[in-house]
Amino acid sequence: MIFGRSERGKPPVEPVTLKILVAGGFGVGKTTLVGAVSEIRPLRTEELLTEAGRPVDDTSGVEAKSTTTVAMDFGRITLREDLVLYLFGTPGQERFWFMWDELSEGALGAVVLADTRRLEDCFAAIDYFERRSIPFLVGVNCFEGAARYPQEDVRRALDLDEHVPLMLCDARDRESGKEALIGVVQHAMARASRRRAVTT
Amino acid sequence: MSADGQDRSHWFDDEAGPVVRPYAMTRGRTTSAAQHRLDLIAVVVTEPYADDPEDDPTLSPEHVDIVRLCRDSSSTVAELAAGLDLPIGVVRVLVGDLVDGAFVHVNRPVPPAELPDESILRDVINGLRAL
Ligand SMILES: Nc1nc2c(ncn2[C@@H]2O[C@H](COP(=O)(O)OP(=O)(O)OP(=O)(O)O)[C@@H](O)[C@H]2O)c(=O)[nH]1
Ligand SMILES: [Mg+2]
């Protein structure tokens, strides 16, 4: 506090910020994963929506009678003073897809969490990222009591492109979460260099 | 806008109250002129030699909060929304006002479809490994 004034005029660091999305079906462990790797307890942000499912920004706001909120949680990892990675848990329901559009803009990539007991819950997320050419990997969240399937079977069930990495993970485990994030960035890099190879 | 002319009870409607109230702060505006959609990870930084926002009668306490929060360390739009407990759309409008008034500037993140530099990606991987 005492230093607050004397430091005034010294410009704060303006970090490069990056984001990775954590997507997947309802209750699959998105918030858990964000919390496991984040340096802060996941924070919550809200956006107001009209019932039609459009952001208030697109309408005249105060005139919108029935509004609802969509909540997103996010975490932060300060890699360096000038390089900060944000993780956003995407809202699950498909009617919030416009939020995904906004979130995925400029994203490095995404982790799609899957639960083998209800694989179909992550189809929408996979479709979404495939269609927009956003690099993603699939993390099969290993819940106790869920049968373990060979990775090849899960791949086939998800109809995953051969380039898309798939890994087993435990959303509660920090190391496992880190590994998934590293996997996404490596995948994004590999894809970018493949693209460069094609275009040059 | 027609908001002012509307049935006043609209503003005090139990159900709408807490939802609509934040937009009263932005005088019903949901976008500001100069503002593109600010990314959630756009970084807001207070201009070091900005005027004292408290002296500006057109600014709300929430504007002042943002200037204060971004003075000693920069903050993203998402963090401001969470920290001030305001919807993202409201924070966007308030930040837009502050940019117009030259109280803050905003650093936009890497533009979409333009992957950041490979060296940055490598730094991210190494940084994550080192955690
Ligand atoms: N056993 C086990 N439980 C987990 C794992 N990941 C998450 N859980 C539990 O599953 C429940 C749901 O996890 P959340 O992280 O809230 O899931 P979410 O995807 O954020 O859920 P929504 O935001 O509601 O869609 C919580 O009770 C977690 O503790 C895991 O890897 N193993
Ligand atoms: Mg959640």
Side-chain angles (χ1 to χ4, degrees):
Chain A
M1 276 315 240
I2 299 167
F3 301 110
R5 283 275 149 179
S6 58
E7 293 243 320
R8 200 171 158 176
K10 178 176 165 278
V13 179
E14 301 181 19
V16 171
T17 53
L18 301 165
K19 63 185 165 184
I20 291 179
L21 313 186
V22 180
F26 182 74
V28 74
K30 302 179 292 287
T31 305
T32 305
L33 176 68
V34 170
V37 290
S38 172
E39 69 199 19
I40 50 172
R41 205 160 41 82
L43 294 173
R44 227 173 98 102
T45 53
E46 292 189 343
E47 186 57 299
L48 304 181
L49 308 177
T50 65
E51 264 315 316
R54 284 188 307 171
V56 170
D57 299 41
D58 290 353
T59 71
S60 45
V62 289
E63 288 156 22
K65 268 287 178 195
S66 49
T67 48
T68 171
T69 58
V70 52
M72 270 174 303
D73 25 55
F74 69 97
R76 185 180 65 209
I77 302 175
T78 303
L79 298 169
R80 278 196 325 239
E81 194 185 24
D82 60 347
L83 185 62
V84 184
L85 177 64
Y86 289 87
L87 304 168
F88 285 90
T90 56
Q93 297 98 312
E94 294 178 21
R95 69 193 182 98
F96 296 143
W97 271 15
F98 72 88
M99 283 297 292
W100 290 35
D101 286 344
E102 170 173 337
L103 278 168
S104 59
E105 211 176 88
L108 272 185
V111 176
V112 174
L113 285 177
D115 176 350
T116 52
R117 294 167 299 182
R118 39 201 182 95
L119 268 188
E120 63 282 2
D121 286 8
C122 72
F123 289 174
I126 289 178
D127 271 354
Y128 182 92
F129 295 122
E130 264 178 2
R131 255 185 241 144
R132 287 166 184 75
S133 300
I134 294 165
F136 69 97
L137 67 71
V138 176
V140 180
N141 201 10
C142 304
F143 287 90
E144 286 95 14
R148 303 293 162 100
Y149 298 93
Q151 295 200 13
E152 264 323 299
D153 292 1
V154 179
R155 274 187 168 284
R156 206 167 315 122
L158 293 175
D159 192 21
L160 278 192
D161 186 276
E162 55 170 323
H163 290 305
V164 176
L166 178 130
M167 58 169 69
L168 299 180
C169 69
D170 183 334
R172 299 162 302 178
D173 181 61
R174 185 173 154 87
E175 286 306 314
S176 180
K178 271 169 55 179
E179 214 178 301
L181 298 178
I182 290 169
V184 171
V185 184
Q186 284 174 330
H187 179 48
M189 257 173 97
R191 243 186 40 156
S193 66
R194 269 202 306 279
R195 290 201 166 171
R196 269 195 289 275
V198 169
T199 52
T200 52
Chain B
M1 257 191 10
S2 63
D4 291 337
Q6 273 199 342
D7 179 6
R8 298 221 99 219
S9 67
H10 180 90
W11 291 91
F12 301 101
D13 180 16
D14 269 354
E15 229 176 301
V19 174
V20 169
R21 193 195 62 82
Y23 283 98
M25 212 179 288
T26 65
R27 281 165 259 124
R29 294 162 307 145
T30 54
T31 51
S32 88
Q35 165 216 30
H36 302 285
R37 258 181 164 257
L38 282 181
D39 197 285
L40 285 167
I41 58 167
V43 176
V44 182
V45 192
T46 297
E47 298 290 7
Y49 302 107
D51 296 337
D52 194 338
E54 293 187 51
D55 297 339
D56 188 328
T58 67
L59 297 180
S60 66
E62 289 77 12
H63 284 109
V64 176
D65 284 342
I66 293 175
V67 173
R68 185 176 44 74
L69 282 173
C70 302
R71 176 158 276 145
D72 296 324
S73 64
S74 55
S75 184
T76 56
V77 170
E79 285 165 312
L80 287 172
L84 298 172
D85 202 14
L86 292 173
I88 294 153
V90 171
V91 171
R92 285 200 173 105
V93 173
L94 298 177
V95 169
D97 292 342
L98 292 170
V99 170
D100 293 346
F103 289 99
V104 303
H105 67 265
V106 175
N107 291 341
R108 286 164 207 287
V110 179
E114 222 176 280
L115 256 188
D117 222 60
E118 208 173 300
S119 68
I120 291 189
L121 297 185
R122 221 168 264 126
D123 287 351
V124 173
I125 292 172
N126 292 335
L128 283 169
R129 285 215 175 100
L131 282 184

